[in-house]
């Protein structure tokens, strides 16, 4: 332990300490006289005078008071701690790193330890830190700022990483912020004062990490006045040690006399205002609570005694943002000290898409990047052509790695634009998986130059110029990209137009920034357990069972840091180069003291708000915070129950009624009215109209749907309607990737096995055994081709891919085997195309237009009258999943084959097969058998053309949908369980029962008979 100094520094004549009970007393007896003295000698002093406050709001309070009293502010600088730190460091040749640089260096250090053996306990710790270095960095800052070494860390692994991290930082030429403060303190005695006079105000035990900085500031001024606050019971030991340290260093403090005889002793039993001036508002949700807060603020502003109104929050969040927005809408001028985060000028869609693409070089990130950059990188093809080609290639090989897909496009003759897409993809450069910082930056410069991102590169180069060559260690691309994201994506603070007035009466503040100044009115906003009080994060990487031990260690450290002061018995101060380490226990004490001090500072009225329901779990009642309960008990002499909360919420709702902060600025009622009309129209019990995926009038262009689209139109009509009439389709190319790829592989292998010279014609059924051999050959060629693509890029064909390929081969072989057992059919064709489109006459004036390809069609009995050349057909649609076939023979009681088939059709089952039957019949077929075949089913007829022709009303309703464009909506938008196709456009859900009734009114032919519904 360092030795205690034997005597105080001889600076007492220059530094005067003052300790008072209230900010009003400090203003009247110390601060005002200080400003008057500075104004009298402003032109005489060569150095400026400065005021250092713990928060900007305290500085605004001083300025507003001085302006109101007509006092001069000439030659007075108002400084926050960061501004003071920057000013004091100017004469020191120190390079303090950005927080982003420290996170990168800590991640790089942790990655160096991940190369150790798996049995080493350091490995999992290092991986965790490399993945998220911020929490451990915060722990290091807390420990080192308090003046302690890494020996205080229990874990050897953490201690080792922290030690190496500190060495890495110094190798890059950086100095930690806390070390820089101590360097400034040591050098302060060597230089001429920077300030003629200095006023330090508002600092207490919550600011222990700033003690070296404040100490250096006092030594950098000719004369310094320090205003301290009386300790209070909630954090007595911490505050007494803070005051004792100042007194030990600069001499005893002078007690500030009370103003108007008012003391600020304890308010643990009473409030400083009458109970009638304490107001409670409860909102059901955040929006209603924000409305109530603004309404209460308007009520307080109407009070002629309202001089300063503070609205206090636990920190930034939705509530603070909504209150600021409502104040803006209500036209109330205010100072928003919390503000809201606005994205960086560099943080646009293209930047985020590029980062995601570099992080994960897959199809989805690539498509987002291409859309965000609007295809600026490519010349030969449009983004749509590239996307379609890559999606087709992905479905062919089921691997979405960009490099492998690029090689596949280059080598595949099946893809129309394959070679062009491969050439275009060559223009996209990817960062290496690991490299040194200089190598990463070199690659980044080339990429940014290609994309025209000159400004981004200038910013990166500016921040890395002085140290990039000093970090020669190779590290991962993930850590580098995180550094880039933080460096260029750092958000800025923005305020509304009416929220940037520091001299306004209304102030939006974090509770930690509101102390040390008088308030006529205060509103404590969002007083729920889950939000108040907001504590700093605890030390990272500590198991739950170790937290108590860590807190005891912090207390022990604080005790070890203390010594007996020179002011006598009970006077404590910290040793040189030490500060107190504020653990969770100490933070909790300080926050309680801050809240009680804020209550004491109110002269007229207090407001408290909370939410009735939890923001995280809206169905659960949100408990009020202990502070809310304390205020309520002191105001009403009873506790807060759930019944009390409900009563307060109801009273708040009745008080607000229809009042809105936006009443003063009416929004566009026409647009709102149209939106409301459309919203209500979708929820009326009537047939689907123009707001419900239906055309107002028939389209001029004739539409023809694929048979698969007609089947989907019975299950998710809205999605099909958007695809047909709006040209937008859901981006779910890999939503059920295995099923899609397996189906495509099986269909392609079967089709290629019977292809003759590239033409798909009818072939002899007796060639089934030969077909099975060719299927196996086609499958092996695919596997070898994909394996070669992987080997070319030094990658291994994944086991999951081999497993899926084996399953697809098994299914294809099963289907071919079933065909080989047929002996009474002579010809067969695979992937037999319909016309473009095929016209299906339903009546004299009704024709259904369809497109598609039949999986397998068997034929016999040649005929000259048939356009296909045969009379009898067997249409087989084979599925690679677990879909069951049709059985119209197994009937329930009082059921008929026709009714059962009708039920299956309106459920979207068998529509594809039935349309195939109608299309073949339209081209001259006399008899058609139909089968939905899966690997588990037997190849036998399941229904016939006569069953299809009997459903006349069903086909006429499809024709009506085709001609009118009236589809409607059916089915859920989201599903908690199972797979549901995603809507391509944002769509609000409708009650499922109401949708079913509207579907009945829109499409009567798609409804079961009444007796069927009754069952």
């Amino acid at each position: 332990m360092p030795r205690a100094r034997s005597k105080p520094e001889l600076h007492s004549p220059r530094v005067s300490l003052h300790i008072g009970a209230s900010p009003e007393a400090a203003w009247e007896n110390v601060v005002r006289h200080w400003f008057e003295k500075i104004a009298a000698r402003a032109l005489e002093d060569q150095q400026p005078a400065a005021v250092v406050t713990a928060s900007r709001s305290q500085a605004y309070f001083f300025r507003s008071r001085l302006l109101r009293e007509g006092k001069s502010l000439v030659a007075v600088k108002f400084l926050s701690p960061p501004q003071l730190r920057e000013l004091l460091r100017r004469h020191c040749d120190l390079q303090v790193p950005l927080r982003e640089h420290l996170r990168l260096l800590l991640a790089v250090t942790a990655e160096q330890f991940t190369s150790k053996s798996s049995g080493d306990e350091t490995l999992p710790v290092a991986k965790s830190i490399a993945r998220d270095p911020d929490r451990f960095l915060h722990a290091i800052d807390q420990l080192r700022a308090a003046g302690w070494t890494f020996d205080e860390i229990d874990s050897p692994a953490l201690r080792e990483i922290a030690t190496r991290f500190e060495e890495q930082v110094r190798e890059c030429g950086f100095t930690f912020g806390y070390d820089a403060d101590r360097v400034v303190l040591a050098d302060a005695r060597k230089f001429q004062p920077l300030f003629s006079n200095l006023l330090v105000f508002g600092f207490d035990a919550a600011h222990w990490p700033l003690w070296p900085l404040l100490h250096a500031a006092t030594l950098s001024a000719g004369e310094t006045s320090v205003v301290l606050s009386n300790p209070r019971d909630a954090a007595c030991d911490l505050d007494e040690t803070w005051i004792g340290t100042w007194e030990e260093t600069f001499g005893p403090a002078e007690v500030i006399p009370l103003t108007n005889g008012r003391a600020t002793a304890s308010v643990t039993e009473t409030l400083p205002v009458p109970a009638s001036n304490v107001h409670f508002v409860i909102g059901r949700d955040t929006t209603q609570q924000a409305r109530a807060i603004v309404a209460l603020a308007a009520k307080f502003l109407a009070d002629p005694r309202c001089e300063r109104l503070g609205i206090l929050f636990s920190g930034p969040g939705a509530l603070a943002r909504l209150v600021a927005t409502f104040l803006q809408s209500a036209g109330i001028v205010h100072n928003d000290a919390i503000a809201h985060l606005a994205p960086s000028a560099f943080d646009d869609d293209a930047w985020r898409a590029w980062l995601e693409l570099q992080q994960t070089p897959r199809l989805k990130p690539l498509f987002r990047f291409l859309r965000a950059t609007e295809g600026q990188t490519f010349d030969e093809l449009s983004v749509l052509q590239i996307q379609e080609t890559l999606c087709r290639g992905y479905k062919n090989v089921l691997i979405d790695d960009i490099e492998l897909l690029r090689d596949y496009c280059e080598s595949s003759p099946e893809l129309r634009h394959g070679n062009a897409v491969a050439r275009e993809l060559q223009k996209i450069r990817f960062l290496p998986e690991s490299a040194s910082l200089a190598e990463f930056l070199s690659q980044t410069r080339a990429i940014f130059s290609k994309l025209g991102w000159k400004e981004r590169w200038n910013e990166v180069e500016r921040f890395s110029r002085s140290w990039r060559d000093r970090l020669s260690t190779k590290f991962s691309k993930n850590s580098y990209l995180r550094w880039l994201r933080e460096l260029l994506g750092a958000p800025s603070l923005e305020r509304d137009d009416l929220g940037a007035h520091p001299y306004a009466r209304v102030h939006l503040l974090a509770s930690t920034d509101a102390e040390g100044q008088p308030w006529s009115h205060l509103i404590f906003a969002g007083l729920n357990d889950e939000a108040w009080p907001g504590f700093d994060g605890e030390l990272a990487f500590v198991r739950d069972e170790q937290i108590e031990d860590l807190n005891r260690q912090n207390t022990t450290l604080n005790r070890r840091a203390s010594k007996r002061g020179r002011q006598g018995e009970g006077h404590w101060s910290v040793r040189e180069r030490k500060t107190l380490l504020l653990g969770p226990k100490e933070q909790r004490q300080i926050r309680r003291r801050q809240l009680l001090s804020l209550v004491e500072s109110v002269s007229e009225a207090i407001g408290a708000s909370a939410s009735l329901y939890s923001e995280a779990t809206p169905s659960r009642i949100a408990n009020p915070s202990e502070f809310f309960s304390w205020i309520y008990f002191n105001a009403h002499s009873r506790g807060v129950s759930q019944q009390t909360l409900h009563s307060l919420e109801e009273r708040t709702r009745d008080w607000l009624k229809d009042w809105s902060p936006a009443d003063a600025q009416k929004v566009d009622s026409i647009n709102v009215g149209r939106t409301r009309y459309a919203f209500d129209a979708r929820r009326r019990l009537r047939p689907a109209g123009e707001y419900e995926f239906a055309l107002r009038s028939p389209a001029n262009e004739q539409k023809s749907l694929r048979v698969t689209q007609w089947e989907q139109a019975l299950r998710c009509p809205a999605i099909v309607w958007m695809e047909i009439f709006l040209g937008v389709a859901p981006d779910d190319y890999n939503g059920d990737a295995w099923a899609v790829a397996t189906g495509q592989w099986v269909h392609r292998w079967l089709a290629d096995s019977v292809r003759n010279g590239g033409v798909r014609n009818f072939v002899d059924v007796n060639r089934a055994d030969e077909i099975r051999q060719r299927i196996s050959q086609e499958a092996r060629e695919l596997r070898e081709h994909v394996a070669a693509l992987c080997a070319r890029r030094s990658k291994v064909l994944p086991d999951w891919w081999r497993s899926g390929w084996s399953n697809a081969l098994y299914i294809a072989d099963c289907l071919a085997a079933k065909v080989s057992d047929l002996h009474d059919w002579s010809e067969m064709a695979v992937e037999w195309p319909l016309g473009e489109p095929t016209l299906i006459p339903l009546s004299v004036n009704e024709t259904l237009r369809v497109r598609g390809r039949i999986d397998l069609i068997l034929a016999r009995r040649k005929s000259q009258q048939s356009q296909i050349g045969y009379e009898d057909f067997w249409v087989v649609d084979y599925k690679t999943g677990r879909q069951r076939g049709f059985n119209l023979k197994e009937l329930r009681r009082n059921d008929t084959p026709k009714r059962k088939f009708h039920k299956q059709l309106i459920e979207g089952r068998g529509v594809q097969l039935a349309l195939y039957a109608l299309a073949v019949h339209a081209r001259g077929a006399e008899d058609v058998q139909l089968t939905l075949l899966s690997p588990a089913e037997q190849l036998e007829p399941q229904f016939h053309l006569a069953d299809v022709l009997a459903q006349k009303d069903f086909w006429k309703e499809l024709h009506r949908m085709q001609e009118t464009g009236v589809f409607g909506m059916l089915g859920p938008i989201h599903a908690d369980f199972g797979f549901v196709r995603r809507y391509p456009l944002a769509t609000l859900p409708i009650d499922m029962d109401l949708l079913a009734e509207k579907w009945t009114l829109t499409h009567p032919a798609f409804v079961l008979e009444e007796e069927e519904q009754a069952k």
Side-chain angles (χ1 to χ4, degrees):
M1 296 292 296
R3 293 185 304 167
R5 290 166 294 182
S6 59
K7 60 181 180 179
E9 297 171 7
L10 301 178
H11 294 294
S12 297
R14 301 172 38 184
V15 180
S16 59
L17 305 182
H18 308 270
I19 183 169
S22 71
E24 279 287 2
W27 168 261
E28 293 293 337
N29 296 284
V30 179
V31 178
R32 172 186 278 144
H33 297 315
W34 186 89
F35 278 106
E36 291 174 349
K37 181 180 68 173
I38 297 303
R41 49 191 287 191
L43 300 180
E44 300 176 5
D45 295 330
Q46 295 182 354
Q47 301 295 336
V51 180
V52 181
T53 56
S55 66
R56 290 184 181 274
S57 62
Q58 293 171 341
Y60 294 151
F61 163 66
F62 289 156
R63 288 180 174 183
S64 61
R65 277 288 179 94
L66 292 169
L67 291 175
R68 189 176 64 182
E69 297 179 6
K71 298 290 192 305
S72 173
L73 296 175
V74 176
V76 178
K77 291 184 176 181
F78 288 86
L79 301 175
S80 63
Q83 292 171 326
L84 175 64
R85 178 178 285 116
E86 183 179 358
L87 195 61
L88 293 179
R89 288 178 182 172
R90 287 181 180 177
H91 65 268
C92 300
D93 186 18
L94 300 175
Q95 187 175 2
V96 179
L98 296 177
R99 195 76 179 172
E100 293 82 359
H101 299 348
L102 290 176
R103 279 192 285 265
L104 174 64
L105 291 174
L106 181 54
V108 171
T109 303
E111 287 180 5
Q112 295 175 10
F113 286 86
T114 59
S115 60
K116 295 190 175 184
S117 62
S118 58
D120 195 326
E121 67 171 357
T122 308
L123 181 61
V125 174
K127 286 184 176 181
S128 179
I129 295 175
R131 189 176 299 112
D132 183 13
D134 194 59
R135 294 193 63 200
F136 188 49
L137 180 60
H138 180 66
I140 293 175
D141 286 343
Q142 285 183 305
L143 193 64
R144 297 292 282 133
W148 301 104
T149 65
F150 297 133
D151 294 335
E152 309 300 333
I153 301 178
D154 287 339
S155 170
L158 292 175
R159 188 162 56 245
E160 188 178 1
I161 293 174
T163 302
R164 176 62 190 131
F165 163 64
E166 194 170 64
E167 295 172 357
Q168 185 89 66
V169 171
R170 292 196 168 94
E171 288 173 3
C172 291
F174 291 134
T175 303
F176 286 101
Y178 41 78
D179 288 337
D181 287 347
R182 291 184 170 89
V183 171
V184 169
L185 174 58
D187 292 346
R189 305 176 181 89
K190 305 176 184 177
F191 299 95
Q192 291 295 323
L194 294 176
F195 312 108
S196 60
N197 285 270
L198 182 68
L199 174 64
V200 179
F201 185 91
F203 295 92
D204 52 34
H207 305 97
W208 269 111
L210 297 177
W211 163 244
L213 178 68
L214 297 176
H215 189 180
T218 57
L219 299 179
S220 301
E223 296 181 22
T224 303
S225 296
V226 181
V227 180
L228 304 171
S229 298
N230 275 342
R232 53 177 315 118
D233 296 339
C236 184
D237 293 342
L238 297 171
D239 286 332
E240 286 181 350
T241 307
W242 174 260
I243 296 171
T245 302
W246 280 98
E247 290 184 324
E248 178 69 14
T249 308
F250 300 111
E254 178 185 350
V255 177
I256 302 173
L258 298 175
T259 302
N260 299 326
R262 180 182 176 186
T264 56
S266 175
V267 292
T268 55
E269 295 183 358
T270 59
L271 295 171
V273 297
S276 59
N277 288 349
V278 182
H279 305 269
F280 299 90
V281 290
I282 299 291
R284 292 184 67 86
D285 53 24
T286 304
T287 302
Q288 186 178 0
Q289 185 186 177
R291 288 179 57 220
I293 291 170
V294 175
L296 186 58
K299 179 179 179 179
F300 284 168
L301 290 172
D303 185 348
R305 296 168 298 179
C306 181
E307 295 182 358
R308 298 185 80 235
L309 165 61
I311 305 177
L312 309 186
F313 304 87
S314 61
L319 181 60
R321 183 71 185 99
L322 280 173
V323 170
T325 301
F326 288 161
L327 288 173
Q328 170 80 14
S329 300
I332 298 177
V333 177
H334 59 283
N335 176 47
D336 185 3
I338 295 179
H340 61 275
L341 296 179
S344 164
F346 302 119
D347 190 14
D348 55 16
D349 292 339
W351 170 246
R352 290 190 294 271
W354 181 83
L355 287 172
E356 185 184 8
L357 177 61
Q358 293 291 334
Q359 187 92 32
T360 311
R362 306 286 179 181
L363 274 190
K364 274 193 173 182
L366 174 63
F367 293 158
R368 293 193 189 99
F369 174 70
L370 295 181
R371 288 192 290 265
T373 57
E374 298 179 351
Q376 298 174 3
T377 310
F378 301 145
D379 303 321
E380 296 185 41
L381 300 174
S382 66
V383 173
L384 182 59
Q385 289 174 317
I386 293 174
Q387 182 169 338
E388 289 177 349
T389 303
L390 290 175
C391 282
R392 184 178 175 187
Y394 167 74
K395 292 176 181 178
N396 286 346
V397 297
L398 199 62
I399 291 180
D400 64 349
D401 182 274
I402 299 300
E403 290 183 336
L404 297 181
L405 275 178
R406 181 175 59 202
D407 295 343
Y408 176 75
C409 291
E410 187 177 21
S411 61
S412 176
E414 299 179 6
L415 301 178
R416 180 181 176 185
H417 303 293
N419 288 328
V421 168
R423 288 193 299 271
E424 298 287 18
L425 291 181
Q426 287 286 356
K427 300 176 183 178
I428 299 179
R429 298 183 59 178
F430 292 96
L431 296 171
E433 291 300 318
S434 65
S436 66
L437 180 60
E439 292 169 344
F440 273 130
L441 290 173
S442 176
Q443 295 271 2
T444 303
R445 181 177 185 177
I447 294 173
F448 283 12
S449 176
K450 182 70 176 178
L451 295 172
W453 290 351
K454 182 179 179 180
E455 294 80 5
R456 286 187 174 89
W457 168 249
N458 290 340
E459 194 75 359
V460 173
E461 202 271 339
R462 180 172 68 89
F463 284 121
S464 61
R465 182 186 303 122
S466 62
W467 61 283
R468 60 186 175 190
D469 294 327
R470 300 183 181 183
L471 185 60
S472 58
T473 306
K474 289 184 178 291
F475 57 94
S476 69
K477 178 174 66 175
N478 290 343
S479 296
Y480 176 73
L481 289 174
R482 180 174 59 229
W483 176 70
L484 278 183
R485 182 184 295 110
E486 294 172 353
L487 202 63
L488 296 182
S492 59
L493 292 178
E494 282 192 359
R495 297 168 178 83
D496 296 323
D497 294 337
L498 297 182
H501 295 267
Y503 304 125
R505 287 193 295 168
V506 181
H507 294 260
L508 272 61
L509 300 165
S511 60
T512 54
D513 295 333
E515 198 180 7
Q517 49 195 303
W519 300 96
S520 62
H521 298 71
L522 272 185
I523 299 175
F524 296 91
L527 293 179
N528 288 101
D529 254 350
E530 57 191 22
W532 274 77
F535 296 109
D536 295 336
E538 298 182 2
L539 297 183
F541 299 98
V542 181
R543 296 190 302 271
D544 291 342
E545 60 269 17
Q546 290 181 316
I547 291 179
E548 186 176 353
D549 293 338
L550 178 61
N551 291 338
R552 279 199 299 268
Q553 182 188 12
N554 288 340
T555 305
T556 303
L557 291 176
N558 294 341
R559 190 179 301 121
R560 287 165 54 191
S562 302
K563 67 175 182 177
R564 185 65 56 86
R566 67 188 178 92
Q567 306 298 325
E569 187 69 27
H571 178 228
W572 296 92
S573 65
V574 297
R575 293 184 181 274
E576 188 177 5
R577 301 184 65 84
K578 298 287 184 182
T579 67
L580 294 190
L581 179 63
L582 300 179
K585 178 182 177 181
E586 289 79 11
Q587 292 182 37
R588 204 166 282 111
Q589 293 173 354
I590 291 173
R591 293 299 170 87
R592 177 170 174 79
R593 185 257 294 154
Q594 288 173 339
L595 293 176
L596 295 178
S597 297
L598 286 171
V599 173
E600 289 179 356
S601 66
V602 180
S603 60
E604 299 298 336
I606 294 175
S609 76
S611 285
L612 180 61
Y613 293 103
S614 168
E615 191 173 336
T617 311
S619 61
R620 182 175 63 84
I621 297 291
N623 293 327
S625 68
E626 181 183 350
F627 183 57
F628 183 95
S629 301
W630 177 85
I631 297 177
Y632 190 86
F633 181 83
N634 280 275
H636 298 288
S637 299
R638 62 177 184 272
V640 180
S641 64
Q642 287 195 2
Q643 183 178 358
T644 304
L645 295 177
H646 282 283
S647 176
L648 289 173
E649 188 276 327
E650 184 177 355
R651 193 183 312 166
T652 302
R653 189 162 13 100
D654 292 340
W655 176 55
L656 291 176
K657 293 184 179 178
D658 295 330
W659 178 85
S660 170
D663 283 345
Q665 298 179 356
K666 293 295 184 182
V667 295
D668 188 346
S669 59
I670 296 178
N671 288 338
V672 172
R674 289 174 177 172
T675 303
R676 182 69 196 191
Y677 180 82
F679 180 89
D680 293 336
R682 295 184 62 207
R683 288 156 180 81
R684 294 194 187 102
L685 184 57
R686 67 177 191 183
E690 59 184 302
Y691 300 106
E692 302 161 278
F693 307 101
L695 298 181
R696 181 183 300 176
S697 58
N700 295 328
E701 180 185 359
Q702 289 186 345
K703 298 291 183 179
S704 60
L705 277 67
R706 299 189 304 271
V707 290
T708 52
Q709 287 178 320
W710 276 122
E711 188 160 290
Q712 294 166 3
L714 276 298
R715 300 171 183 170
C716 43
I719 295 178
V720 176
W721 186 89
M722 286 188 277
E723 185 177 355
I724 296 302
F725 295 101
L726 301 184
V728 292
D731 185 16
D732 57 357
Y733 73 91
N734 61 349
D736 195 10
W738 265 121
V740 173
T742 301
Q744 288 213 347
W745 287 349
V746 170
H747 283 68
R748 187 169 73 247
W749 294 340
L750 287 169
D752 292 344
S753 65
V754 299
R755 186 177 298 174
N756 185 11
V759 180
R760 295 177 181 177
N761 294 322
F762 283 90
V763 298
D764 193 342
V765 172
N766 295 326
R767 293 177 53 193
D769 291 335
E770 176 188 346
I771 292 173
R772 295 181 64 181
Q773 294 177 0
R774 296 180 66 176
I775 288 174
S776 179
Q777 179 182 352
E778 292 281 342
R780 285 195 301 270
E781 289 177 357
L782 173 65
R783 182 190 62 188
E784 293 170 358
H785 182 45
V786 176
L789 292 176
C790 294
R792 181 180 174 184
R793 294 291 178 177
S794 301
K795 299 178 180 179
V796 179
L797 188 63
D799 291 338
W800 56 262
W801 194 94
R802 295 178 182 273
S803 175
W805 172 86
S806 299
N807 180 61
L809 177 57
Y810 167 76
I811 293 173
D813 186 69
C814 286
L815 296 175
K818 297 179 189 300
V819 176
S820 65
D821 293 335
L822 299 177
H823 302 292
D824 52 349
W825 292 86
S826 59
E827 307 291 332
M828 61 177 286
V830 177
E831 296 292 313
W832 190 77
L834 300 177
E836 290 293 332
T838 291
L839 304 180
I840 302 176
L842 302 178
S843 65
V844 177
N845 299 318
E846 296 176 328
T847 301
L848 196 61
R849 299 179 294 273
V850 298
R851 295 177 287 115
R853 289 183 300 180
I854 300 175
D855 292 346
L856 173 64
I857 183 170
L858 300 168
R860 61 187 178 188
R861 295 176 56 192
K862 291 187 177 183
S863 171
Q864 296 295 330
Q865 285 75 28
S866 173
Q867 298 179 23
I868 307 177
Y870 300 89
E871 291 185 2
D872 297 347
F873 295 92
W874 189 353
V875 175
V876 179
D877 183 27
Y878 43 80
K879 302 296 182 183
T880 56
R882 298 182 178 180
Q883 284 185 272
R884 295 182 57 188
F886 300 93
N887 190 340
L888 301 183
K889 297 179 181 178
E890 295 183 1
L891 303 175
R892 296 182 179 180
R893 185 178 179 183
N894 297 327
D895 205 355
T896 63
K898 180 179 178 180
R899 184 181 301 164
K900 182 176 181 179
F901 187 48
H902 179 64
K903 178 182 178 181
Q904 292 174 333
L905 288 176
I906 63 177
E907 291 175 352
R909 295 186 61 223
V911 176
Q912 183 177 352
L913 262 178
L915 287 173
Y916 285 150
L918 291 177
V920 173
H921 176 63
R923 301 188 64 177
E926 295 294 334
D927 184 25
V928 183
Q929 302 177 113
L930 300 119
T931 298
L932 181 68
L933 182 63
S934 65
E937 299 281 346
Q938 296 296 323
L939 183 55
E940 57 185 18
Q942 296 171 353
F943 61 100
H944 296 78
L945 176 62
D947 299 312
V948 177
L949 294 175
Q951 304 294 331
K952 294 182 179 180
D953 292 340
F954 182 87
W955 306 121
K956 288 186 177 183
E957 186 63 25
L958 287 190
H959 174 265
R960 191 173 71 87
M961 292 173 64
Q962 170 189 276
E963 297 302 316
T964 62
V966 177
F967 279 47
M969 185 176 178
L970 190 67
I973 291 181
H974 307 287
D976 295 332
F977 306 98
F979 173 75
V980 175
R981 294 190 70 192
R982 293 192 299 179
Y983 278 57
L985 300 177
T987 307
L988 291 177
I990 308 293
D991 180 75
M992 296 289 293
D993 294 334
L994 177 60
L995 283 180
E997 293 184 55
K998 291 174 70 69
W999 182 257
T1000 299
L1001 296 175
T1002 307
H1003 305 290
F1006 296 162
V1007 181
L1008 296 175
E1009 298 177 3
E1010 292 297 328
E1011 59 268 26
E1012 181 68 16
Q1013 293 180 350
K1015 294 180 182 179

